PDB file of all heavy atoms in Angstrom:
ATOM      1  N   LEU Y 317      52.318  69.208 129.114  1.00  0.00           N
ATOM      2  CA  LEU Y 317      52.676  68.605 130.375  1.00  0.00           C
ATOM      3  C   LEU Y 317      53.724  67.533 130.110  1.00  0.00           C
ATOM      4  O   LEU Y 317      53.460  66.635 129.279  1.00  0.00           O
ATOM      5  CB  LEU Y 317      51.459  68.032 131.078  1.00  0.00           C
ATOM      6  CG  LEU Y 317      50.358  69.034 131.465  1.00  0.00           C
ATOM      7  CD1 LEU Y 317      49.174  68.290 132.076  1.00  0.00           C
ATOM      8  CD2 LEU Y 317      50.906  70.072 132.444  1.00  0.00           C
ATOM      9  N   MET Y 318      54.818  67.584 130.820  1.00  0.00           N
ATOM     10  CA  MET Y 318      55.843  66.558 130.687  1.00  0.00           C
ATOM     11  C   MET Y 318      55.358  65.282 131.380  1.00  0.00           C
ATOM     12  O   MET Y 318      54.790  65.335 132.472  1.00  0.00           O
ATOM     13  CB  MET Y 318      57.167  66.990 131.301  1.00  0.00           C
ATOM     14  CG  MET Y 318      57.807  68.155 130.560  1.00  0.00           C
ATOM     15  SD  MET Y 318      58.197  67.807 128.841  1.00  0.00           S
ATOM     16  CE  MET Y 318      59.302  66.448 129.015  1.00  0.00           C
ATOM     17  N   ALA Y 319      55.581  64.155 130.722  1.00  0.00           N
ATOM     18  CA  ALA Y 319      55.220  62.893 131.324  1.00  0.00           C
ATOM     19  C   ALA Y 319      56.073  62.673 132.571  1.00  0.00           C
ATOM     20  O   ALA Y 319      57.225  63.081 132.648  1.00  0.00           O
ATOM     21  CB  ALA Y 319      55.477  61.775 130.334  1.00  0.00           C
ATOM     22  N   ASP Y 320      55.454  62.085 133.568  1.00  0.00           N
ATOM     23  CA  ASP Y 320      56.200  61.723 134.801  1.00  0.00           C
ATOM     24  C   ASP Y 320      57.359  60.796 134.392  1.00  0.00           C
ATOM     25  O   ASP Y 320      57.226  59.972 133.470  1.00  0.00           O
ATOM     26  CB  ASP Y 320      55.232  60.935 135.722  1.00  0.00           C
ATOM     27  CG  ASP Y 320      55.877  60.546 136.991  1.00  0.00           C
ATOM     28  OD1 ASP Y 320      56.556  59.501 137.000  1.00  0.00           O
ATOM     29  OD2 ASP Y 320      55.730  61.260 138.004  1.00  0.00           O
ATOM     30  N   ALA Y 321      58.464  60.969 135.015  1.00  0.00           N
ATOM     31  CA  ALA Y 321      59.696  60.215 134.650  1.00  0.00           C
ATOM     32  C   ALA Y 321      59.451  58.709 134.626  1.00  0.00           C
ATOM     33  O   ALA Y 321      60.001  57.993 133.774  1.00  0.00           O
ATOM     34  CB  ALA Y 321      60.846  60.548 135.621  1.00  0.00           C
ATOM     35  N   ARG Y 322      58.574  58.215 135.506  1.00  0.00           N
ATOM     36  CA  ARG Y 322      58.292  56.772 135.552  1.00  0.00           C
ATOM     37  C   ARG Y 322      57.413  56.336 134.382  1.00  0.00           C
ATOM     38  O   ARG Y 322      57.246  55.158 134.161  1.00  0.00           O
ATOM     39  CB  ARG Y 322      57.618  56.388 136.858  1.00  0.00           C
ATOM     40  CG  ARG Y 322      58.496  56.631 138.092  1.00  0.00           C
ATOM     41  CD  ARG Y 322      57.682  56.538 139.380  1.00  0.00           C
ATOM     42  NE  ARG Y 322      56.702  57.624 139.336  1.00  0.00           N
ATOM     43  CZ  ARG Y 322      55.545  57.654 139.992  1.00  0.00           C
ATOM     44  NH1 ARG Y 322      55.203  56.637 140.739  1.00  0.00           N
ATOM     45  NH2 ARG Y 322      54.749  58.669 139.933  1.00  0.00           N
ATOM     46  N   ARG Y 323      56.848  57.284 133.662  1.00  0.00           N
ATOM     47  CA  ARG Y 323      55.884  56.954 132.618  1.00  0.00           C
ATOM     48  C   ARG Y 323      56.345  57.364 131.225  1.00  0.00           C
ATOM     49  O   ARG Y 323      55.639  57.217 130.247  1.00  0.00           O
ATOM     50  CB  ARG Y 323      54.537  57.642 132.911  1.00  0.00           C
ATOM     51  CG  ARG Y 323      54.008  57.467 134.279  1.00  0.00           C
ATOM     52  CD  ARG Y 323      53.282  56.157 134.436  1.00  0.00           C
ATOM     53  NE  ARG Y 323      52.578  56.125 135.703  1.00  0.00           N
ATOM     54  CZ  ARG Y 323      52.722  55.137 136.568  1.00  0.00           C
ATOM     55  NH1 ARG Y 323      53.547  54.151 136.304  1.00  0.00           N
ATOM     56  NH2 ARG Y 323      52.091  55.147 137.720  1.00  0.00           N
ATOM     57  N   GLN Y 324      57.547  57.951 131.115  1.00  0.00           N
ATOM     58  CA  GLN Y 324      58.036  58.517 129.842  1.00  0.00           C
ATOM     59  C   GLN Y 324      58.137  57.533 128.705  1.00  0.00           C
ATOM     60  O   GLN Y 324      57.940  57.866 127.535  1.00  0.00           O
ATOM     61  CB  GLN Y 324      59.352  59.249 130.052  1.00  0.00           C
ATOM     62  CG  GLN Y 324      59.156  60.543 130.730  1.00  0.00           C
ATOM     63  CD  GLN Y 324      60.455  61.309 130.879  1.00  0.00           C
ATOM     64  OE1 GLN Y 324      61.538  60.812 130.610  1.00  0.00           O
ATOM     65  NE2 GLN Y 324      60.341  62.563 131.342  1.00  0.00           N
ATOM     66  N   ALA Y 325      58.422  56.283 128.992  1.00  0.00           N
ATOM     67  CA  ALA Y 325      58.617  55.322 127.931  1.00  0.00           C
ATOM     68  C   ALA Y 325      57.309  54.690 127.448  1.00  0.00           C
ATOM     69  O   ALA Y 325      57.295  53.986 126.441  1.00  0.00           O
ATOM     70  CB  ALA Y 325      59.560  54.211 128.412  1.00  0.00           C
ATOM     71  N   ILE Y 326      56.203  54.934 128.151  1.00  0.00           N
ATOM     72  CA  ILE Y 326      54.963  54.251 127.839  1.00  0.00           C
ATOM     73  C   ILE Y 326      54.330  54.864 126.590  1.00  0.00           C
ATOM     74  O   ILE Y 326      54.074  56.064 126.509  1.00  0.00           O
ATOM     75  CB  ILE Y 326      53.962  54.327 129.002  1.00  0.00           C
ATOM     76  CG1 ILE Y 326      54.530  53.678 130.272  1.00  0.00           C
ATOM     77  CG2 ILE Y 326      52.623  53.648 128.607  1.00  0.00           C
ATOM     78  CD1 ILE Y 326      53.677  53.864 131.502  1.00  0.00           C
ATOM     79  N   ALA Y 327      54.087  54.003 125.628  1.00  0.00           N
ATOM     80  CA  ALA Y 327      53.366  54.402 124.375  1.00  0.00           C
ATOM     81  C   ALA Y 327      52.391  53.293 124.061  1.00  0.00           C
ATOM     82  O   ALA Y 327      52.731  52.081 124.174  1.00  0.00           O
ATOM     83  CB  ALA Y 327      54.356  54.570 123.231  1.00  0.00           C
ATOM     84  N   SER Y 328      51.161  53.668 123.686  1.00  0.00           N
ATOM     85  CA  SER Y 328      50.127  52.673 123.387  1.00  0.00           C
ATOM     86  C   SER Y 328      50.608  51.665 122.341  1.00  0.00           C
ATOM     87  O   SER Y 328      50.329  50.478 122.492  1.00  0.00           O
ATOM     88  CB  SER Y 328      48.866  53.376 122.903  1.00  0.00           C
ATOM     89  OG  SER Y 328      48.284  54.118 123.957  1.00  0.00           O
ATOM     90  N   LYS Y 329      51.312  52.159 121.337  1.00  0.00           N
ATOM     91  CA  LYS Y 329      51.820  51.269 120.314  1.00  0.00           C
ATOM     92  C   LYS Y 329      52.730  50.152 120.881  1.00  0.00           C
ATOM     93  O   LYS Y 329      52.594  49.010 120.484  1.00  0.00           O
ATOM     94  CB  LYS Y 329      52.556  52.097 119.227  1.00  0.00           C
ATOM     95  CG  LYS Y 329      53.098  51.283 118.087  1.00  0.00           C
ATOM     96  CD  LYS Y 329      53.787  52.207 117.117  1.00  0.00           C
ATOM     97  CE  LYS Y 329      54.381  51.392 115.959  1.00  0.00           C
ATOM     98  NZ  LYS Y 329      55.026  52.237 114.980  1.00  0.00           N
ATOM     99  N   LEU Y 330      53.641  50.555 121.755  1.00  0.00           N
ATOM    100  CA  LEU Y 330      54.535  49.570 122.353  1.00  0.00           C
ATOM    101  C   LEU Y 330      53.785  48.650 123.309  1.00  0.00           C
ATOM    102  O   LEU Y 330      54.089  47.441 123.374  1.00  0.00           O
ATOM    103  CB  LEU Y 330      55.673  50.298 123.107  1.00  0.00           C
ATOM    104  CG  LEU Y 330      56.588  51.141 122.226  1.00  0.00           C
ATOM    105  CD1 LEU Y 330      57.605  51.912 123.126  1.00  0.00           C
ATOM    106  CD2 LEU Y 330      57.279  50.300 121.205  1.00  0.00           C
ATOM    107  N   VAL Y 331      52.834  49.176 124.040  1.00  0.00           N
ATOM    108  CA  VAL Y 331      52.044  48.358 124.957  1.00  0.00           C
ATOM    109  C   VAL Y 331      51.302  47.276 124.156  1.00  0.00           C
ATOM    110  O   VAL Y 331      51.310  46.097 124.559  1.00  0.00           O
ATOM    111  CB  VAL Y 331      51.039  49.222 125.737  1.00  0.00           C
ATOM    112  CG1 VAL Y 331      49.972  48.398 126.425  1.00  0.00           C
ATOM    113  CG2 VAL Y 331      51.792  50.105 126.764  1.00  0.00           C
ATOM    114  N   LYS Y 332      50.737  47.644 123.027  1.00  0.00           N
ATOM    115  CA  LYS Y 332      49.991  46.653 122.225  1.00  0.00           C
ATOM    116  C   LYS Y 332      50.924  45.592 121.674  1.00  0.00           C
ATOM    117  O   LYS Y 332      50.601  44.431 121.617  1.00  0.00           O
ATOM    118  CB  LYS Y 332      49.239  47.377 121.058  1.00  0.00           C
ATOM    119  CG  LYS Y 332      48.046  48.136 121.514  1.00  0.00           C
ATOM    120  CD  LYS Y 332      47.257  48.693 120.351  1.00  0.00           C
ATOM    121  CE  LYS Y 332      48.021  49.826 119.696  1.00  0.00           C
ATOM    122  NZ  LYS Y 332      47.174  50.573 118.744  1.00  0.00           N
ATOM    123  N   GLU Y 333      52.140  46.028 121.282  1.00  0.00           N
ATOM    124  CA  GLU Y 333      53.098  45.067 120.720  1.00  0.00           C
ATOM    125  C   GLU Y 333      53.539  44.042 121.807  1.00  0.00           C
ATOM    126  O   GLU Y 333      53.610  42.850 121.533  1.00  0.00           O
ATOM    127  CB  GLU Y 333      54.323  45.802 120.157  1.00  0.00           C
ATOM    128  CG  GLU Y 333      55.306  44.914 119.511  1.00  0.00           C
ATOM    129  CD  GLU Y 333      54.874  44.266 118.203  1.00  0.00           C
ATOM    130  OE1 GLU Y 333      53.781  44.630 117.714  1.00  0.00           O
ATOM    131  OE2 GLU Y 333      55.610  43.439 117.673  1.00  0.00           O
ATOM    132  N   ILE Y 334      53.802  44.533 122.990  1.00  0.00           N
ATOM    133  CA  ILE Y 334      54.197  43.664 124.093  1.00  0.00           C
ATOM    134  C   ILE Y 334      53.055  42.687 124.391  1.00  0.00           C
ATOM    135  O   ILE Y 334      53.276  41.504 124.545  1.00  0.00           O
ATOM    136  CB  ILE Y 334      54.575  44.474 125.358  1.00  0.00           C
ATOM    137  CG1 ILE Y 334      55.867  45.291 125.085  1.00  0.00           C
ATOM    138  CG2 ILE Y 334      54.772  43.561 126.560  1.00  0.00           C
ATOM    139  CD1 ILE Y 334      56.155  46.363 126.114  1.00  0.00           C
ATOM    140  N   ALA Y 335      51.853  43.194 124.483  1.00  0.00           N
ATOM    141  CA  ALA Y 335      50.665  42.354 124.777  1.00  0.00           C
ATOM    142  C   ALA Y 335      50.446  41.351 123.686  1.00  0.00           C
ATOM    143  O   ALA Y 335      50.146  40.171 123.940  1.00  0.00           O
ATOM    144  CB  ALA Y 335      49.457  43.227 125.023  1.00  0.00           C
TER     145      ALA Y 335
END
Side-chain angles (χ1 to χ4, degrees):
L317 296 177
M318 293 300 300
D320 181 276
R322 296 167 296 156
R323 311 277 190 235
Q324 285 181 352
I326 301 174
S328 293
K329 181 179 178 178
L330 296 176
V331 166
K332 287 186 290 192
E333 183 69 7
I334 293 166

